[in-house]
């Protein structure tokens, strides 16, 4: 196994190389249970998948769409699927690039160098790579964005290296600086959005930025290193995927696939079982250990325990230090969807983006007080994990010393093991979670899971098909939603259904065709990003198979769609360039502009977006607006 030379692998494929799960030979038993329960075989032929989409929404959708009334709230003409190397938006809309990887944030920074990818110094003064989740902030008439930079494209970042891997200390410095978070001031000038160079708000938070460790894990022996013997201050954040935003004005950035950055140069090094559960390997993916000993497991065995958290940042105070909120658990965080419950407690919904992992909820110990001191509300609270039942009911199980037999610190560091102990429901890669702005209703994108009903998860937990994960070898994904009992986000019981099962009705006539609100015009696979607008419309972004072949024929490049939770109607709003992921979303204060991330265009070398010609592809933030200047969403 040589992970370093397998940079083209996705993170899930990398995990399976690190710790291949044993095949489960109980497929027939799983299938028989499914047929007896529902009369439906998830990977096969019995009953159409539409039978699995519960509740009134889909029934309303089918009636409304069939009868032609009532009038749709999706006031745009649907974009057709395509494989173009550009961004396609509906008639009456326009888009522009706001910031691209390598753009200088300061006037003293060198211009972007496509031939080499720049240097460590230039990258520390420039917009990071592979932008993902984002949020928009305003202060004193200034408009500030916090934007995640998840990981890097070695072939472009290290264009002067034959294999796209760091070879020098400065290469490692540059690679680490391309990760993390970019905080930028933006403004419209001459009708066009762009970065305000030299703004006091502009800063980079990278894999070398110091940040406080807070919560139950603070000071624990598993957090202690030679550089930080008290376990109080972590250095850096990376693989920042989704995000969240608090009503007290801070940004939540989520560490996802943190595991692929560590190596061990000692052949006698023995990997702890806990590390295996998190996909940590003795062979890393970025060569950082060549210049920084903290990425060498043989020298710093506790360093991985300091990553995999939600980090809280104040983008409006450039002097502030980020805080790792360990009370929200350690796993491969996708996003952090925060809402204030009716009783005043802060509730954060969290997904662990790996096949067969879990969906979580955090409830703060103290209550939110408008205008009060709320800055430490994410430091103390209780973490819960979801258990879904086939009767469309579910429950949140508290992860406490009593329920798990672990200390609070152990739960916060080894959260996956705690969730396994209480029998949580294994999910199909829980990605972004979105809470409805007008009622107690929450949605989660379960992007896909080829191992559903075939293999256990990394902890050995079974992954039978059923409940919110109805299909064996689920290649298309679905969006689950739940309604807390009594409309109370802190209630431990909920009802659930499926808003949509993605699929391809042009190729399949079984479960893989998708639910009733999927047709040959709006079909897609692998829902990933989710975000509600002010009208209660759900924006859906995809990060899936863009081959446009076989089972994915006709689905084209990754895309962004809009769904109406009241009717179930879904329309495609945008299609991205070749080989990209569509992710992250935010609106400006007036909601006349929507910002999204176009991540890793040309990840396999077949795109020259956004500049065209023979230019280097660059991950970028784009701004979308209506040509008439009206509000979006």
């Amino acid at each position: 196994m040589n992970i370093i030379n397998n940079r083209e692998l996705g993170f899930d494929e990398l995990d399976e190389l690190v710790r291949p799960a044993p095949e489960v030979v109980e497929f027939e038993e799983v299938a028989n249970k499914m047929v007896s329960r529902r009369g439906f075989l998830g990977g096969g032929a019995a009953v159409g998948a539409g039978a699995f989409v519960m509740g009134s929404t889909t029934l309303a959708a089918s009636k409304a769409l069939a009868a032609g009334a009532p009038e749709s709230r999706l006031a745009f003409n649907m974009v057709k699927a395509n494989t173009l190397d550009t961004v396609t938006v509906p008639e009456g809309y326009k888009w522009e690039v706001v910031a691209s990887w390598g753009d200088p944030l300061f006037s003293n920074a060198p211009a972007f160098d496509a031939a080499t990818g720049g240097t460590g110094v230039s990258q520390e003064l420039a917009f990071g790579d592979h932008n993902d989740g984002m949020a928009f902030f305003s202060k004193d008439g200034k408009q500030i964005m916090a934007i995640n930079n998840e990981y890097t494209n070695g072939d472009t970042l290290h264009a002067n290296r034959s294999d796209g891997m760091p070879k020098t200390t400065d290469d490692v410095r540059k690679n680490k600086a391309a990760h993390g978070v970019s905080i930028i001031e933006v403004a419209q000038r001459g009708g066009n959005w762009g970065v305000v160079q030299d703004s006091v708000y502009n800063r980079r938070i990278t894999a070398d930025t110091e940040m406080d460790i807070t919560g139950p894990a603070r000071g624990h022996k598993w957090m202690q290193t030679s550089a930080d013997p008290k376990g109080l201050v972590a250095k850096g954040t990376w693989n920042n995927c989704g995000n969240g935003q608090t009503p007290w004005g801070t940004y939540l950035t989520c560490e996802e696939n943190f595991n692929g950055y560590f190596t061990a140069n000692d052949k006698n090094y023995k990997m702890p079982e806990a590390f295996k559960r998190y996909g940590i390997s003795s062979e890393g993916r970025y060569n950082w250990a060549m210049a920084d000993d903290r990425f060498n497991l043989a020298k710093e065995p506790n360093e991985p325990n300091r990553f995999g958290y939600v980090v809280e940042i104040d983008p409006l105070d450039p002097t502030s230090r980020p805080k790792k909120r360990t009370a929200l658990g350690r796993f491969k965080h996708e996003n952090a969807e925060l809402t204030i419950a009716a009783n005043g407690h802060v509730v954060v919904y969290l997904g662990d983006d790996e096949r067969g992992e879990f969906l979580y909820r955090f409830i703060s110990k103290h209550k939110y007080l408008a205008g009060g001191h709320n800055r430490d509300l994410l430091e103390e609270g209780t973490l819960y994990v979801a258990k879904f039942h086939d009767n469309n009911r579910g429950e949140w199980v508290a992860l406490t010393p009593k329920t798990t037999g672990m200390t609070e610190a152990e739960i916060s560091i080894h959260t996956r093991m705690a969730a396994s102990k209480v029998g949580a429901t294994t999910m199909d890669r829980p990605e972004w979670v979105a809470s409805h702005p007008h009622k107690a209703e929450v949605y989660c994108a379960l992007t896909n899971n080829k191992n559903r009903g075939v293999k256990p998860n990394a902890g050995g937990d079974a992954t039978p098909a059923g409940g919110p994960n109805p299909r064996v070898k689920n290649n298309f994904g679905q969006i689950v939603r739940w309604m807390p009992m009594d409309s109370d986000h802190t209630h431990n019981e909920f009802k659930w259904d499926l808003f949509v099962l993605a699929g391809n009705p042009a190729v399949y006539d079984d479960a893989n065709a998708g639910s009733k609100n999927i047709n040959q015009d709006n079909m897609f696979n692998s829902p990933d990003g989710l975000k509600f607008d002010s009208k209660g419309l759900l924006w859906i972004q995809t990060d899936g198979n863009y081959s446009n072949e076989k089972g994915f024929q006709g689905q084209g490049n990754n895309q962004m769609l809009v769904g109406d939770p009241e009717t179930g109607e879904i329309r495609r709003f945008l299609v991205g360039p070749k080989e990209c992921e569509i992710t992250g979303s935010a609106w400006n204060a007036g909601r006349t502009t929507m910002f999204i991330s176009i991540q890793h265009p040309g990840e396999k070398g077949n795109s020259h977006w956004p500049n065209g010609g023979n230019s280097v592809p660059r991950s970028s933030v784009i701004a979308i607006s209506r040509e008439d200047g009206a509000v979006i969403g």
Side-chain angles (χ1 to χ4, degrees):
M1 176 179 66
N2 191 332
I3 294 174
I4 290 178
N5 293 327
N6 279 300
R7 290 181 296 105
E8 291 186 1
L9 291 174
F11 285 104
D12 290 296
E13 285 72 22
L14 176 67
D15 287 341
E16 290 190 356
L17 273 180
V18 171
R19 38 153 188 71
E23 292 285 345
V24 174
V25 291
E26 56 181 8
F27 176 83
E28 184 175 354
E29 179 183 353
V30 170
N32 288 337
K33 286 181 179 178
M34 290 174 64
V35 171
S36 64
R37 268 202 309 263
R38 301 278 192 174
F40 166 70
L41 179 57
V47 177
F52 263 84
V53 183
M54 311 298 177
S56 61
T57 293
T58 302
L59 295 177
S62 59
K63 292 178 182 178
L65 296 176
E71 182 179 352
S72 173
R73 291 202 297 160
L74 309 183
F76 60 90
N77 293 324
M78 183 158 54
V79 169
K80 293 183 178 180
N82 66 66
T83 58
L84 302 174
D85 196 26
T86 188
V87 175
T88 309
V89 293
E91 181 180 356
Y93 288 79
K94 60 183 180 179
W95 66 274
E96 60 181 316
V97 173
V98 179
S100 297
W101 159 60
D103 282 351
L105 305 185
F106 305 93
S107 58
N108 64 342
F112 172 70
D113 183 354
T116 66
T119 66
V121 170
S122 69
Q123 184 59 72
E124 288 167 352
L125 300 173
F127 191 74
D129 202 2
H130 281 33
N131 42 273
D132 202 298
M134 64 180 73
F136 200 94
F137 300 84
S138 299
K139 182 179 181 181
D140 299 330
K142 306 289 187 180
Q143 302 174 96
I144 297 96
M145 296 187 71
I147 303 165
N148 288 348
N149 299 114
E150 186 175 6
Y151 61 112
T152 62
N153 182 341
D155 292 333
T156 53
L157 184 70
H158 302 293
N160 55 341
R161 308 298 179 206
S162 59
D163 61 357
M165 289 292 293
K167 293 291 187 294
T168 68
T169 298
D170 191 67
D171 286 349
V172 173
R173 179 179 177 179
K174 176 173 66 172
N175 201 297
K176 290 195 291 183
H179 287 70
V181 180
S182 295
I183 299 176
I184 57 176
E185 182 183 342
V186 297
Q188 264 186 312
R189 293 170 175 171
N192 297 315
W193 285 96
V195 177
V196 178
Q197 283 194 348
D198 299 319
S199 168
V200 295
Y201 297 106
N202 291 354
R203 64 169 164 155
R204 289 299 321 286
I205 293 170
T206 73
D208 284 325
T209 303
E210 287 192 346
M211 44 198 67
D212 295 329
I213 298 170
T214 78
R218 179 176 171 84
H220 191 273
K221 63 181 180 179
W222 292 341
M223 304 292 278
Q224 297 168 1
T225 65
S226 59
D228 179 31
K230 293 184 178 180
L232 305 179
V233 179
K235 190 176 183 182
T237 184
W238 57 82
N239 221 279
N240 303 81
C241 186
N243 69 284
Q245 192 167 4
T246 72
W248 50 91
T250 58
Y251 181 70
L252 304 179
T253 184
C254 302
E255 299 174 342
E256 189 188 12
N257 294 293
F258 66 92
N259 55 301
Y261 294 76
F262 299 94
T263 61
N265 61 2
D266 183 350
K267 64 180 181 180
N268 296 317
Y269 173 77
K270 186 176 180 181
M271 185 73 61
E273 286 300 318
F275 281 12
K276 294 178 183 178
R277 177 66 190 271
Y278 281 90
I280 297 166
S281 165
S282 60
E283 291 191 57
R285 190 179 175 101
Y286 287 98
N287 251 4
W288 288 3
M290 68 172 285
D292 191 337
D293 282 347
R294 65 194 175 104
F295 296 96
N296 185 339
L297 296 170
K299 294 183 177 181
E300 293 293 350
N302 281 341
E303 190 70 19
N305 293 328
R306 295 147 66 87
F307 301 91
Y309 298 103
V310 174
V311 181
E312 186 170 9
I313 301 169
D314 185 348
L316 303 181
D317 180 2
T319 67
S320 62
R321 187 147 78 172
K323 299 180 184 298
K324 295 211 174 191
R325 298 302 193 185
T326 69
L328 275 63
R330 175 173 168 264
F331 43 86
K332 294 184 178 180
H333 285 277
E334 186 67 17
N335 79 320
E337 179 69 347
L338 187 150
T339 188
I340 305 298
N343 60 13
H345 287 280
V346 174
V347 177
V348 187
Y349 293 103
L350 309 147
D352 184 352
D353 182 11
E354 187 172 318
R355 298 182 185 111
E357 289 299 336
F358 308 115
L359 183 64
Y360 297 87
R361 178 189 68 171
F362 168 85
I363 300 178
S364 65
K365 177 179 179 180
H366 302 289
K367 295 183 179 182
Y368 171 77
L369 179 62
H373 181 76
N374 301 296
R375 290 293 172 126
D376 295 323
L377 285 177
L378 301 183
E379 190 163 346
E380 295 181 90
T382 303
L383 196 62
Y384 297 76
V385 68
K387 185 179 290 189
F388 291 81
H389 304 297
D390 280 350
N391 62 355
N392 295 101
R393 297 295 180 104
E395 60 192 288
W396 293 104
V397 181
L399 300 179
T400 66
K402 182 177 181 180
T403 61
T404 65
M406 302 164 68
T407 67
E408 290 186 356
E410 289 170 345
I411 292 167
S412 68
I413 299 171
H414 292 163
T415 310
R416 285 182 168 179
M417 290 77 115
S420 290
K421 283 178 178 287
V422 300
T425 299
T426 56
M427 305 295 282
D428 289 349
R429 291 185 57 196
E431 300 253 17
W432 291 67
V433 183
S435 180
H436 198 291
H438 305 310
K439 56 183 174 180
E441 189 170 282
V442 192
Y443 294 64
C444 180
L446 304 176
T447 194
N448 58 54
N449 184 0
K450 69 179 183 181
N451 295 338
R452 170 61 57 187
V454 179
K455 295 180 180 180
N457 71 359
D461 302 313
T463 63
N469 312 284
R471 292 180 292 195
V472 172
K473 295 183 179 180
N474 176 17
N475 289 320
F476 291 96
Q478 63 269 9
I479 297 175
V480 65
R481 67 177 164 191
W482 60 94
M483 292 67 69
M485 300 299 286
D486 301 328
S487 296
D488 177 5
H489 283 285
T490 64
H491 202 293
N492 287 339
E493 296 181 0
F494 57 87
K495 298 178 181 179
W496 69 267
D497 64 17
L498 295 178
F499 174 63
V500 63
L501 277 166
N504 191 332
V507 175
Y508 299 101
D509 60 4
D510 58 11
N512 291 316
S515 50
K516 291 180 180 179
N517 50 348
I518 292 298
N519 55 59
Q520 294 189 32
D521 292 324
N522 71 358
M523 62 181 179
F524 62 95
N525 73 85
S526 301
D528 187 329
L530 294 181
K531 186 79 169 182
F532 273 104
D533 66 24
S534 59
K535 294 181 180 178
L537 297 177
L538 182 65
W539 295 75
I540 305 165
Q541 300 169 316
T542 73
D543 176 25
N545 190 307
Y546 47 73
S547 67
N548 207 40
E549 297 177 349
K550 298 181 180 178
F552 305 97
Q553 181 179 340
Q555 296 193 331
N557 297 341
N558 277 306
Q559 56 194 271
M560 181 163 68
L561 309 100
V562 188
D564 186 345
E566 301 307 313
T567 66
E569 183 185 7
I570 297 173
R571 291 186 188 179
R572 185 182 301 105
F573 177 84
L574 174 149
V575 178
K578 291 179 179 293
E579 300 173 351
C580 80
E581 168 187 354
I582 306 297
T583 183
S585 57
W587 286 264
N588 68 331
R591 304 190 75 85
T592 55
T593 304
M594 183 181 190
F595 301 88
I596 68 167
S597 286
I598 305 293
Q599 191 189 97
H600 61 68
E603 66 175 347
K604 296 183 178 178
N606 296 308
S607 173
H608 298 284
W609 187 88
N611 297 320
N614 292 318
S615 64
V616 169
R618 298 165 70 187
S619 293
S620 303
V621 174
I622 67 170
I624 303 167
S625 58
R626 287 176 51 145
E627 292 178 350
D628 62 5
V631 170
I632 297 179

